[in-house]
Amino acid sequence: MKTNNLGYPRIGSNRELKKASELYWAGKITVDELLNVGKNIRATNWELQKNAGIDLIPSNDFSYYDQVLDLTLTVGAIPERYQEIARTSNSLDLYFAMARGSQKEGQDVVAMEMTKWFDTNYHYIVPEFTKNQQFKLFSTKIVSEFIEAKKLNITTKPVLIGPITYLLLGKEKEAGFERIDLIENLLPVYFEILEKLEAEGATYIQLDEPFLALNLTDKERNTYTKVYNEINKSFPNLKVILANYFDCFGENLETALALPVDTFHLDLVRCPLQLDDILESGKLASNVNLSLGVIDGRNIWKNDFKKSLAIIEKAVAALGADRILVAPSCSLIHSPCDLDLETNDQTLTPEIKQWLAFAKQKIKEVTLLKQFATNETDRNNSINFAENSLANQNRKSSKLIHNELVKNRVKAIAKGDDQRQNTFATRRQKQAESLQLPLYPTTTIGSFPQTPEVRSWRAKFKKGELSQTEYDALLEKETKETIRFQEESGIDVLVHGEFERNDMVEYFGEQLDGFTFTKNGWVQSYGSRCVKPPVIYGDVSRPNPMTVKWSKFAQSLTPKWVKGMLTGPVTILQWSFVRDDQARSETCTQIALAIRDEVVDLEKAGIKIIQIDEPAIREGLPLRKEEWAKYLDWAVKAFRISASGVADDTQIHTHMCYSEFNDIIQNIADMDADVITIECSRSQMELLDAFADFKYPNEIGPGVYDIHSPRVPSNEEMVHLLEKAAAVIPANQLWVNPDCGLKTRHWDETKKALIEMVNAAKKMRVAATQLETV
Ligand code: GLN
Ligand code: ZN
């Protein structure tokens, strides 16, 4: 039996890489200084895994930005617009230009597109392919990192994204070809890489092919068969570990099992039943090994050794210990680095901490499991085993986790609880009467600029340098000014500005029971950006109102409507580490009830318009289409539960952004929000066609300007977009608003842009009345 790891976090346990990269980009450190930070992180990670007892230690899992971009550079798929930079800069600057764009000395190239890595919150840089795409070995990073480890006396297992997954991750930038057909051009470069690695003494290679967990076409499946047979023919001595993760092989199982590889890696956390399928199928060749991904690479819970050992023992009984590898379910880049760094008992109590394991702890779990499974260590006499059992038992029964009131409330949800009192048509009339809004009502998405000043107040308040009263007074002043500005500029539905919030999920998590936080639990989101998701460890409830005070305060300042601002249950779930001892749908429903209470309290406090943001609703979609309906069913229901406690004339908004919505438009309609505001301007309102074709029944505010740019759009531009919108959606269904929240913007451009936006709406109204009189 061997221990296997698929990848280790590369940000450094104190985010060393983030800090160094940002300093390098700002011109404050040299290339060599940055390269040194990378080298140290790699050495630290390899040593750590070696000392823990990992047999197959990954290399090339390190990246200065993204592993897909690394491969794009490796195979020389450099888009035309970077050729000039390729000629004149070092390869690291070329690499960063592709990742982030480059704007200097008359040079202005946009970055490559970025999108989510399967169903994770990690974003990769999307390869761009053209019809006659050529590939050539451009960077030998994978080889040099193998050699670098060898110098430290560590023979690693290089990790590479498999050729088919790489092609499928990319985008066709012109018509007239299918990217899968580029395999003929690509494969020779893979062969060159494998040759070089073998020559340096590599015996193993891990090829990641998570597309095997998705719905494939026959052609794609056949390509798998062809490619892996060719690799095997040319490299009969290289041990290929074919890694699949995030779901089962599904209908690709037979194709996969017939591939001539050394080892299949299985994600048994996402797909525990797959092992039985494989063992029972009798289709696993007798010389092929299984890497059992029993430790959750995507979550922070301590493994349950008893459960994992039962799985390992089943596989050993069927195949023999020699053919088994123990592993995390996927690369550990989706886990925070080191639980040992969580030393603040107040932030993370010892009781909860004992239930957790981060990357470093998971590595240890992998090696312990092997020791127990092979009886190298007697589990009955092991402190580690006893401690693991105790922690798991304690977690099951802890009073911290289980709240009968919450569980009963979920059970008692009745049929109509996810339905508003009347249909949209009726609500709309009542809302029109009570709200008295003009045609093309203007609003914003919620946040106003979070200036360094605002952030410094919060930091000082948290450190105790500002009292609650002092902090509140500053926030009140900022809120007041924001309300004044919105009144003066003629916006119809105002917001309070969200100055009291650090982050749209953390702010709610901090006030809900069942959530906890870490000080250092960072996970790479993209490039140097890291996120620190809250941990949902127990039944969720809302001990006190969370937003009523600020909404009420803001409403008291103005006769205009102030929109209440909440984060929806699905987004809170999606952007947290979620407990694994009950279905996600159950946790989501608990959050939905907590948000529902908040919505009702806002209504009671006189707030007539309430927005429940769900930007992450699409991210939760399962990888396989056949499972979409089930997810959408409970996700939409959770939103509806949160929104349905109010009277007909209270208007519920939702907001979504930066996702593909066309294929879930029916489900978005099923959410039955009275108004949806949605990011649209980057696609020049293209998205609206989907809403128009579908005849989206409720009101809709397509974003009329991109909030990611400091650029101030003219009212003519926005009128143009609104005309496009009005051409496909009835004017009395349309709202006017920016794409998303304004918290990353500066005040100066924000004010100018919103004034232009109001002018655009006014022009549209005038045009509409002229049309009427004609
Ligand atoms: N209300 C939030 C804001 O304006 C919405 C943010 C988002 O969509 N991600 O900041
Ligand atoms: Zn948004």
Side-chain angles (χ1 to χ4, degrees), residues 655 657-658 739-741:
H655 165 71
C657 49
Y658 311 110
D739 264 350
C740 190

Side-chain angles (χ1 to χ4, degrees), residues 119-355:
D119 59 350
T120 70
N121 201 12
Y122 176 79
H123 302 66
Y124 73 93
I125 303 282
V126 183
E128 297 177 12
F129 300 130
T130 53
K131 197 167 164 185
N132 295 312
Q133 183 71 49
Q134 299 300 312
F135 300 97
K136 63 165 193 289
L137 189 56
F138 184 87
S139 145
T140 48
K141 165 183 183 287
I142 184 166
V143 184
S144 41
E145 286 184 13
F146 180 78
I147 297 171
E148 189 180 305
K150 212 164 63 173
K151 288 198 181 128
L152 300 170
N153 270 323
I154 299 175
T155 305
T156 56
K157 167 198 62 171
V159 175
L160 197 57
I161 294 167
I164 300 165
T165 289
Y166 175 65
L167 289 176
L168 294 180
L169 285 169
K171 210 169 178 176
E172 289 147 19
K173 296 305 273 190
E174 57 190 354
F177 77 109
E178 283 181 61
R179 58 193 187 283
I180 189 76
D181 293 330
L182 299 175
I183 193 73
E184 305 291 338
N185 295 349
L186 178 63
L187 207 52
V189 185
Y190 269 74
F191 278 23
E192 257 184 271
I193 297 167
L194 298 182
E195 254 166 52
K196 285 193 193 304
L197 287 170
E198 258 198 335
E200 290 298 338
T203 48
Y204 282 94
I205 176 110
Q206 172 184 318
L207 292 173
D208 285 12
E209 289 281 11
F211 262 85
L212 284 168
L214 269 58
N215 304 105
L216 296 174
T217 63
D218 287 343
K219 181 173 177 179
E220 288 159 353
R221 258 195 300 274
N222 293 338
T223 309
Y224 270 105
T225 308
K226 199 161 152 265
V227 163
Y228 280 85
N229 274 293
E230 280 182 37
I231 293 177
N232 181 50
K233 217 164 74 201
S234 302
F235 299 90
N237 299 320
L238 193 62
K239 296 180 176 174
V240 173
I241 300 182
L242 188 78
N244 183 41
Y245 38 77
F246 302 153
D247 211 329
C248 306
F249 287 118
E251 74 273 20
N252 307 319
L253 181 65
E254 225 171 283
T255 309
L257 290 185
L259 301 178
V261 296
D262 179 81
T263 301
F264 290 110
H265 170 79
L266 312 174
D267 183 338
L268 296 177
V269 174
R270 275 297 176 89
C271 199
L273 298 179
Q274 184 169 217
L275 180 63
D276 298 285
D277 290 347
I278 293 175
L279 296 180
E280 282 158 24
S281 74
K283 295 254 166 72
L284 187 71
S286 61
N287 58 346
V288 175
N289 310 314
L290 288 185
S291 164
L292 309 178
V294 287
I295 285 164
D296 196 344
R298 291 181 57 171
N299 214 331
I300 38 73
W301 305 106
K302 185 173 271 182
N303 189 254
D304 184 339
F305 283 170
K306 275 187 203 145
K307 239 166 100 181
S308 296
L309 284 169
I311 297 171
I312 297 168
E313 278 155 9
K314 190 189 322 175
V316 168
L319 307 177
D322 288 352
R323 289 172 65 192
I324 300 302
L325 297 86
V326 181
S329 59
C330 60
S331 167
L332 295 174
I333 66 164
H334 309 292
S335 295
C337 292
D338 186 1
L339 186 65
D340 293 343
L341 300 178
E342 299 298 325
T343 49
N344 187 328
D345 284 5
Q346 247 99 52
T347 318
L348 188 66
T349 64
E351 177 163 13
I352 298 173
K353 190 177 165 186
Q354 65 166 326
W355 303 331

Side-chain angles (χ1 to χ4, degrees), residues 445-447 498 504 565 575 611 613 615 655 657 740-743:
I445 307 303
S447 59
E498 300 182 24
M504 65 185 288
M565 199 55 60
W575 290 350
Q611 178 171 313
D613 290 326
H655 165 71
C657 49
C740 190
L742 299 162
K743 64 171 166 245

Side-chain angles (χ1 to χ4, degrees), residues 403 406-407 409-410 536 538-541 579 582 585-595:
N403 180 336
V406 175
K407 291 190 207 293
R409 201 172 159 205
V410 169
I536 307 179
D539 290 333
V540 176
S541 59
R579 56 193 288 198
Q582 67 183 17
S585 54
E586 181 85 6
T587 306
C588 194
T589 309
Q590 293 181 352
I591 305 170
L593 289 170
I595 299 297

